[in-house]
Amino acid sequence: MIVKKLFLRYVLVATVLFSVVCLNAQDRVFTYTYQSGVLNKGQREIELWNTYSTGKPEFFNRLENRTEFEIGLGHRLQTSIYLNLTTETNGVDNSSGGKSLETENKISFSNEWKYKLLDPVADPVGVALYGEVGIGTQEKELEAKLIVDKKFDKFTLATNAVFELEKEVGVVSDVIEWATEHKAELNVGLAYSLSPKFQITTEHAFRNVFIDGQLKHSALYSGIGLSYAMDNFWINLTAMPQVKGFKGTAGNSLNLSEYEKMQYRVLVSFAF
């Protein structure tokens, strides 16, 4: 009987410790929506992002790959660097009246900083500030996020208010110039824990583009996903269809001039 009690206690302690390790190794269960958690001092992660976008009036496919190195600096602060590679293929009309495919490749570098103000478990809500700067061969970006989240029972709720300033170079009337866009986005994610390893998620993104102070494009995306975590590894995936276009729809129910019908994203992370 004593041996049985000791064995049961051992199993209970091991289960609790394993769950804590899993939670510490994973600072997010969503793919589009950020959470307020940060890595501990000296903790490092490699995150691999893959986003596949498709669905426009003409042929369209885009694959975005981001390789992120993330490190905790302590005092609720973490930073990371990204190498971003994007390949986009479009169907276009050529001068002879036929159609052809054009493929464009982009490469850029990003630096992210994240500071946690409040903890989603110890405090009424979790709050974090996020900033990212991106520099590429054709564009420059500056992004800021306000992150708010809360964990209660088996649920995790997170929301992000996002503002982005983007400058992209192009040719207008044989003149090379920089065009400026402002983007505002609201992301909301809700996760339910099926077990210490598995969570089912739903995410929603309300996206807007402003040019010269005017709202030019607006659309809503909503999708579902899954999250799986173990000791030093986690993977999140989400399918995000566009469900409604509000601006720039050109008579359709969706905005397919700025956005696409479907996005699929997979995040894979390794802690070390």
Side-chain angles (χ1 to χ4, degrees):
M1 182 63 67
I2 295 177
V3 174
K4 182 177 180 181
K5 287 183 178 180
L6 290 175
F7 176 76
L8 291 176
R9 289 179 182 177
Y10 171 80
V11 172
L12 177 61
V13 172
T15 301
V16 172
L17 289 176
F18 178 75
S19 299
V20 170
V21 169
C22 286
L23 290 175
N24 286 340
Q26 185 177 22
D27 63 341
R28 60 188 298 184
V29 297
F30 307 106
T31 57
Y32 290 86
T33 310
Y34 281 72
Q35 296 165 248
S36 61
V38 296
L39 299 179
N40 297 322
K41 183 177 182 180
Q43 188 177 3
R44 296 162 295 177
E45 284 190 3
I46 293 290
E47 290 186 16
L48 305 176
W49 300 46
N50 289 278
T51 306
Y52 176 70
S53 305
T54 188
K56 281 180 178 284
E58 298 291 341
F59 181 87
F60 174 85
N61 283 323
R62 181 173 64 239
L63 183 61
E64 300 171 76
N65 304 105
R66 306 189 78 187
T67 302
E68 176 188 9
F69 172 73
E70 191 172 65
I71 184 170
L73 301 178
H75 302 290
R76 302 186 175 191
L77 180 67
Q78 73 177 37
T79 188
S80 62
I81 56 174
Y82 296 81
L83 177 63
N84 311 305
L85 303 172
T86 302
T87 298
E88 183 177 303
T89 300
N90 293 276
V92 298
D93 295 325
N94 54 43
S95 58
S96 62
K99 294 185 179 297
S100 61
L101 295 175
E102 288 186 356
T103 298
E104 182 180 20
N105 299 300
K106 294 181 180 180
I107 183 171
S108 64
F109 167 86
S110 302
N111 178 218
E112 163 201 314
W113 292 83
K114 184 180 176 186
Y115 181 72
K116 183 172 73 171
L117 299 172
L118 297 174
D119 186 85
V121 176
D123 300 306
V125 295
V127 179
L129 301 177
Y130 174 104
E132 181 180 326
V133 59
I135 300 176
T137 56
Q138 301 180 32
E139 61 185 14
K140 302 175 183 177
E141 297 178 354
L142 182 63
E143 182 179 339
K145 287 187 179 80
L146 173 63
I147 302 169
V148 180
D149 64 345
K150 180 61 180 176
K151 293 183 179 180
F152 49 96
D153 196 16
K154 293 186 177 183
F155 291 92
T156 300
L157 177 65
T159 182
N160 303 164
V162 185
F163 174 80
E164 183 178 341
L165 171 64
E166 181 180 297
K167 298 180 72 68
E168 186 170 2
V169 68
V171 179
V172 180
S173 301
D174 294 327
V175 177
I176 298 176
E177 59 182 37
W178 289 90
T180 302
E181 289 186 352
H182 296 86
K183 297 181 180 180
E185 186 170 323
L186 180 66
N187 294 329
V188 178
L190 178 65
Y192 177 77
S193 179
L194 299 174
S195 73
K197 292 184 178 182
F198 286 99
Q199 300 198 51
I200 185 170
T201 64
T202 177
E203 293 191 73
H204 314 275
F206 180 48
R207 300 172 178 172
N208 304 274
V209 175
F210 297 84
I211 301 176
D212 297 328
Q214 300 294 320
L215 178 62
K216 297 296 184 181
H217 302 280
S218 181
L220 175 66
Y221 282 78
S222 292
I224 59 173
L226 292 173
S227 175
Y228 172 80
M230 52 188 302
D231 190 3
N232 59 348
F233 164 83
W234 56 261
I235 179 170
N236 302 336
L237 58 92
T238 303
M240 285 276 281
Q242 183 185 159
V243 297
K244 179 65 177 177
F246 300 101
K247 190 73 173 180
T249 57
N252 300 316
S253 61
L254 303 179
N255 180 331
L256 301 181
S257 55
E258 175 72 14
Y259 308 109
E260 52 282 324
K261 289 182 180 179
M262 283 294 305
Q263 285 191 351
Y264 305 90
R265 177 173 291 179
V266 179
L267 300 186
V268 180
S269 177
F270 303 90
F272 60 98

